[in-house]
Amino acid sequence: MKIVITFMQLLLLSCSLSSSATQPLEPPDLSEIIALPEDAGASYLAYGWDGNLVWFDQNLAEIRRKHYDYAIPGEIIVFNKGLLIKSELKKNSEHSLYQLSYLSFSGKVLHEWRDLPDSIWSINAQQTPLSYFGFSDEQFQLDDNNQFVSTGILYGNNTTIMPILDGNVDDSIICSGMILSMQDYKLGSCHRTGSKAWITDEGYWNESPKLCGDYLVENNYHRPSNVRKNRKLIIRDINTGTVVSEIIRTEHPFVNDFKCDNNRLITIGEAVNIYSLPNNKPVAVKYCEGGKKAIDIAVNKEQMVCLNRDGEVHHLVDSKK
């Protein structure tokens, strides 16, 4: 049987192939962005809960993108010339298994830990050996066989370790969230180890505080009653543990998150407000280019960039318009 293709059919086929070749890629679903070290081969990495990772250079041009079908990135941390990803592996519609992946800066998977003894709450990647806290409040760390084993230490609910980078090896701030149950009630607390040890027991937060240079910032509450109206950011001196100032959250109702840049606090929302610590002195107000709401920002030595609600990465600018 002879197959005859007309000139018009060839023309239509050519147009179809040309059209598909020049079609832009579907925009990835991105929700967080981090700055990368100078030797990473890229300046920023944006990622989303559906497994998308996108690398950008200093001018915010896309370098590469990857998609990981097996897991949903939940947290990415720069670690040991690469990246640690706390991922969620869907077992079925009701259950999930957490895993930890170690990637090169370009996204190559170097190692994976899948059969973890407990799900991951927070990772301590600033010191060796690598360790994490599970949802059971127990700490696990890598042994000589590259397996996570229990240290036998129970720190408490939702615990995070924040090493003091310019301090001694054992100089850290350890915070645990509050416990609210029928059997027990305990406020969230933080304590510092080492020669400048202190302890607090007054936190009404249910997420980990963040270390901002010489200060600890807690997404705190003024009193346990009527917390919606009394919500504050508490700034604590890491050398003494005392509260030195606070930001009343009701004055910034559109703040959805905050980040730290040395002794600067940066709140993220309709506007990106930059404060100098400890007195919360306003330094600048920035906006995501194009006027769209920022959902996350990244800071490096030269600039700050934002990720907007449409998953686009832009520079921060002085005007909302």
Side-chain angles (χ1 to χ4, degrees), residues 96-256:
S96 301
L97 297 175
Y98 285 87
Q99 66 180 34
L100 191 62
S101 302
Y102 177 40
L103 277 62
S104 68
F105 281 130
S106 62
K108 179 182 178 181
V109 178
L110 303 176
H111 194 83
E112 290 181 333
W113 295 273
R114 291 196 174 188
D115 297 324
L116 297 174
D118 190 12
S119 297
I120 300 173
W121 169 256
S122 67
I123 306 168
N124 177 24
Q126 286 79 19
Q127 295 175 321
T128 55
L130 177 68
S131 66
Y132 78 88
F133 286 107
F135 279 83
S136 64
D137 308 335
E138 195 169 359
Q139 186 186 34
F140 302 90
Q141 68 180 21
L142 280 181
D143 63 8
D144 294 337
N145 297 318
N146 207 26
Q147 299 294 319
F148 281 100
V149 296
S150 173
T151 63
I153 303 174
L154 293 174
Y155 279 94
N157 185 49
N158 300 349
T159 298
T160 301
I161 290 183
M162 291 164 280
I164 309 297
L165 298 182
D166 59 350
N168 297 320
V169 175
D170 296 326
D171 203 359
S172 302
I173 294 176
I174 304 173
C175 294
S176 299
M178 59 183 176
I179 299 173
L180 296 174
S181 67
M182 297 294 291
Q183 294 80 25
D184 197 6
Y185 172 80
K186 183 181 179 182
L187 296 178
S189 64
C190 294
H191 71 273
R192 177 169 175 165
T193 60
S195 60
K196 296 181 179 179
W198 49 259
I199 187 168
T200 70
D201 190 21
E202 58 182 48
Y204 294 103
W205 33 264
N206 56 6
E207 59 187 272
S208 176
K210 296 179 183 178
L211 198 57
C212 288
D214 298 319
Y215 303 95
L216 184 70
V217 180
E218 302 173 20
N219 195 357
N220 210 329
Y221 300 127
H222 182 59
R223 292 288 183 270
S225 61
N226 201 11
V227 294
R228 186 177 295 275
K229 291 185 178 180
N230 291 314
R231 199 171 184 186
K232 298 181 179 182
L233 293 179
I234 301 296
I235 290 83
R236 194 181 297 277
D237 189 325
I238 65 170
N239 292 310
T240 63
T242 58
V243 174
V244 292
S245 58
E246 58 190 36
I247 293 180
I248 300 174
R249 291 292 294 272
T250 51
E251 295 176 358
H252 305 278
F254 299 109
V255 172
N256 55 284

Side-chain angles (χ1 to χ4, degrees), residues 30 33 42-46 54-58 60-63 313:
L30 305 173
I33 187 168
S43 295
Y44 302 100
L45 173 63
V54 184
W55 286 258
F56 298 90
D57 65 16
Q58 187 71 6
L60 305 188
E62 183 178 320
I63 297 175
V313 179

